[in-house]
Structure formats: C-alpha cells, structure tokens
Amino acid sequence: RDVWLHLDVDVIDPSEFGSVGFPVAGGLRVGEVLDLIGAIAARWPFAGAAVTEFSPAPAADDTDLESLVRIVEALRSH
C-alpha cells in the first residue's frame, strides 16, 4: 500500500529548527525526522507528502531552509 505522509515541521526541536509558528522544546532532531522518513519509505512507498508549518522569520539564517531542503529531498528520493 502507498502512504501519504503529512509532516508539520513544528515537531522538530526549536534548538535545531526555529522557523515554525509554535515551537515546543523536546521535539525530534532533524536527523531523526530523516531517519523516520527512510524507515517509513523502506516499508511502504509514498503516494505523496505534505510538509507544513514552515514559518521563517524575516531575519532567519539559512540553516532552517537547508534542513527543510534536506527533508524534502529525502521525501523525493523515496
């Protein structure tokens, strides 16, 4: 069966990814999100995915954008 994945990036710990509307400490690390994407894709093919809640501040650095690109590329590669 194919699956749809919906990822709100506000599940990522704000110490690693702060460009969200509702940051909450104690979330996943970016690497853990990438590992989960790989684990899900190893078992079920993706039919599609949604990545939501990205809300960069005007003065944000590119670190969060780079992490977001890594996540999207992980989804695209599966």
Side-chain angles (χ1 to χ4, degrees):
R1 294 192 139 169
D2 293 352
V3 298
W4 286 87
L5 178 74
H6 178 98
L7 172 65
D8 288 347
V9 292
D10 54 6
V11 302
I12 302 172
D13 193 271
S15 67
E16 278 206 16
F17 194 94
S19 294
V20 297
F22 302 98
V24 177
L28 299 172
R29 299 180 67 78
V30 172
E32 291 173 312
V33 171
L34 295 171
D35 290 344
L36 285 170
I37 290 169
I40 294 167
R43 181 137 189 208
W44 302 284
F46 289 126
V51 179
T52 62
E53 298 299 327
F54 181 58
S55 181
D61 63 26
D62 291 337
T63 305
D64 289 348
L65 183 56
E66 291 167 7
S67 294
L68 185 66
V69 168
R70 289 175 56 208
I71 291 167
V72 170
E73 286 299 320
L75 290 166
R76 288 185 62 209
S77 70
H78 295 291

